[in-house]
Amino acid sequence: MAVIDDIKEQWDKQKGTSVKHRIAYFMHYYLIWVIVIAAIVIFAAALIHSQLTKKPTVYIAEFINTGAESDDASEDLAEQTAKAAGIDTKKDNVEILTSRTLTPGGMQDQSDVGNNTAIGAEMMNASLDSMVCDAWNFYYYVETASFQDLRDVLSKEELKKYKDDLYYVDLTEIRKIQKETQDPDYDGSALEEQQAKARASETYENFRKPDPSTMDDPVPVGIILSDSRYLKENKLYRDAVPVFGFVNNSKHMDTSKKLLVILTK
């Protein structure tokens, strides 16, 4: 109120002066205050509007290392998934996130740490429903028990439909790796060498689909999307083989199935 009263008092003193003089006086002494007050009012109004109109997010899918050049595919996939699952986007929000990156072969910078932490948090609070990752990072999340056994999610008919693209892991080998990495003396060195090897292993030319016949305890945990027409048309995963997985703790497996159907048409 003090500022407003002062403005009124000073403005009264300008009575009798020219309009040009009054405007110049105002611009010199009080314009900054008006801008600050206006900014506060606009910010408060925007915040209130955001809270009142914010829609709850009912489904989240993370696509890691897509190489996407725009958000077009993200928005289109969200729209298609919502429609297929019968989600009213006027009331609820579907998020298909295609911008996160993780370095194949192991984290090398703060961006990797931040993205990995964010994904971990989504898994912990059961808000993340499905993931598509480049092959190396998919296996990385398999090691942390992030994905469902497909036999617990898909019917026998569905498993048969995807049989040529099933991504198997050896549960015996996974348990061995988990035990090694939990050892206090575990050495995760040679990161640069691992990254080069990881990038080479997941290219379309070098990728080898895991063979369950060579495994002690084979478990299907993913769907290989190397032949996905949708991903090819939208220029996603041009340099690395992508794999789809149902995230543990998800409450929206049926919606994830709808997304998988869209990606494998």
Side-chain angles (χ1 to χ4, degrees), residues 53-112:
T53 59
K54 186 177 181 180
K55 296 180 292 186
T57 298
V58 297
Y59 185 83
I60 299 177
E62 290 274 9
F63 283 52
I64 309 301
N65 290 348
T66 62
E69 298 177 351
S70 72
D71 293 329
D72 292 347
S74 173
E75 296 170 1
D76 179 64
L77 264 180
E79 183 179 336
Q80 287 198 48
T81 301
K83 183 177 180 180
I87 297 172
D88 185 353
T89 53
K90 293 181 180 179
K91 299 179 180 178
D92 298 313
N93 188 42
V94 171
E95 290 189 358
I96 307 293
L97 308 174
T98 60
S99 61
R100 291 199 197 278
T101 59
L102 288 172
T103 302
M107 292 181 286
Q108 69 173 6
D109 54 31
Q110 289 300 313
S111 176
D112 284 334

Side-chain angles (χ1 to χ4, degrees), residues 228-246:
S228 170
R229 184 174 63 184
Y230 186 91
L231 296 181
K232 289 179 179 179
E233 288 177 349
N234 286 277
K235 298 180 180 180
L236 304 179
Y237 294 102
R238 288 173 289 180
D239 301 319
V241 172
V243 187
F244 177 98
F246 296 85

Side-chain angles (χ1 to χ4, degrees), residues 1-11 26 29-37:
M1 287 299 294
V3 173
I4 296 175
D5 290 342
D6 184 56
I7 292 175
K8 186 176 183 300
E9 180 182 346
Q10 295 300 323
W11 195 251
F26 175 82
Y29 289 101
Y30 298 110
L31 182 60
I32 187 63
W33 287 102
V34 173
I35 292 174
V36 170
I37 293 171

Side-chain angles (χ1 to χ4, degrees), residues 25 42 62 76-77 90 97 103-104 106 128 135-136 168 170 173 223 236:
Y25 181 86
I42 292 171
E62 290 274 9
D76 179 64
L77 264 180
K90 293 181 180 179
L97 308 174
T103 302
L128 182 57
W136 191 92
Y168 282 87
D170 189 340
E173 183 66 20
I223 307 292
L236 304 179

